[in-house]
Amino acid sequence: TPDLSAVSVIGDYAFARSSIVSVVIPEGVTVGASAFRECKALRSVKIGSNAVIGDSAFRLDIDSNYEATFYEENDTRFYHYILTSPMKELVIGDNVQIGHSAFYGASKLETVTLGKNAVIGDFAFYNTAELKSIDLSAVLSVGESAFSGDMIYLFSNSALTVPVIDDEGMYVYLYYAADLGSVDLSAATSIGESAFAHCQYLTSVKLGSSITEIGDMAFLGCKGLESVEMSENITTIGSQG
């Protein structure tokens, strides 16, 4: 764990591809773009209040962080890729700006502790496939595709070359969007395009009175969505929103 107690700025790519396993970032620190990118042993991240997290700061790219596996159903094997990521703990303080793709690919995170007044950038938590718990009730804004994720083919062979096709002639996919069950955006002022697209287990959404527009495809593919609570202030709902 690097000692960052006296640091005010962490430069671009400062610890990228290093072997650190945990990091504590003090209050008010600016973390540069890709500062901890591709840190494949990084398990625990704690970020103080009033920090600025740069673009792709903790990003893990899918093309270098996956493995093949399979599951069985009705005596048939289905093969697919799974995303790998060591990060298990993420704590973020108040008033933090989270940059584009900051935690992209943190696929094994189940819980994020998030403080008040966060600004969540585009793709910030993209491909966080196991994320079940994050309190967004005091978030100020959620960017484009922030909690969405890739659609990955299921295959019928171990070489992963023959995609599975259903009875209607359609490809069958696994989805790597966040695994959220409910979302409370009571304090948010905006929701970007595709912000929660393909969150398969999302059943309820609460939108605050400051939101006047829902971005295009904000909840596209949320097949389990049953309830959306919104105010009279919403004047525009985007296509497939």
Side-chain angles (χ1 to χ4, degrees):
T1 302
D3 182 2
L4 303 175
S5 57
V7 168
S8 60
V9 176
I10 300 172
D12 297 353
Y13 293 94
F15 295 93
R17 298 180 176 85
S18 68
S19 299
I20 62 173
V21 297
S22 65
V23 62
V24 178
I25 296 173
E27 292 190 10
V29 169
T30 296
V31 180
S34 299
F36 298 88
R37 186 169 182 163
E38 292 295 306
C39 288
K40 297 184 180 183
L42 184 56
R43 295 180 58 85
S44 174
V45 176
K46 297 180 180 180
I47 300 169
S49 296
N50 304 305
V52 177
I53 310 303
D55 294 349
S56 299
F58 296 88
R59 177 172 176 147
L60 287 172
D61 293 305
I62 187 172
D63 57 356
S64 59
N65 294 281
Y66 69 88
E67 58 189 41
T69 187
F70 67 88
Y71 69 90
E72 292 190 6
E73 186 176 294
N74 298 325
D75 297 323
T76 301
R77 284 189 175 185
F78 296 96
Y79 298 84
H80 61 94
Y81 294 109
I82 58 171
L83 309 181
T84 60
S85 166
M87 193 181 297
K88 297 288 188 180
E89 180 181 30
L90 177 57
V91 178
I92 301 174
D94 297 337
N95 310 310
V96 173
Q97 297 181 44
I98 303 172
H100 188 300
S101 302
F103 298 98
Y104 183 116
S107 59
K108 299 301 180 183
L109 268 179
E110 294 186 8
T111 300
V112 173
T113 301
L114 181 64
K116 297 179 293 184
N117 303 323
V119 174
I120 299 177
D122 299 347
F123 293 87
F125 292 94
Y126 193 85
N127 280 343
T128 53
E130 296 187 19
L131 180 58
K132 295 177 174 62
S133 176
I134 180 171
D135 183 359
L136 301 176
S137 62
V139 162
L140 298 182
S141 63
V142 178
E144 177 184 343
S145 298
F147 292 92
S148 188
D150 288 332
M151 300 164 57
I152 298 179
Y153 289 117
L154 270 181
F155 295 91
S156 60
N157 64 326
S158 58
L160 285 81
T161 57
V162 182
V164 174
I165 297 176
D166 65 17
D167 294 338
E168 298 178 355
M170 305 295 290
Y171 289 117
V172 179
Y173 300 96
L174 291 178
Y175 297 89
Y176 286 91
D179 196 12
L180 301 172
S182 62
V183 168
D184 181 348
L185 296 170
S186 296
T189 59
S190 64
I191 306 172
E193 294 183 8
S194 302
F196 297 92
H198 303 299
C199 289
Q200 298 287 289
Y201 301 99
L202 188 61
T203 60
S204 65
V205 173
K206 180 179 181 181
L207 305 178
S209 58
S210 296
I211 294 175
T212 60
E213 181 177 351
I214 299 175
D216 291 347
M217 301 178 289
F219 301 102
L220 174 69
C222 296
K223 297 178 180 179
L225 187 58
E226 300 173 350
S227 170
V228 178
E229 181 181 337
M230 63 178 74
S231 76
E232 297 176 352
N233 296 332
I234 292 179
T235 57
T236 304
I237 298 177
S239 63
Q240 299 188 65

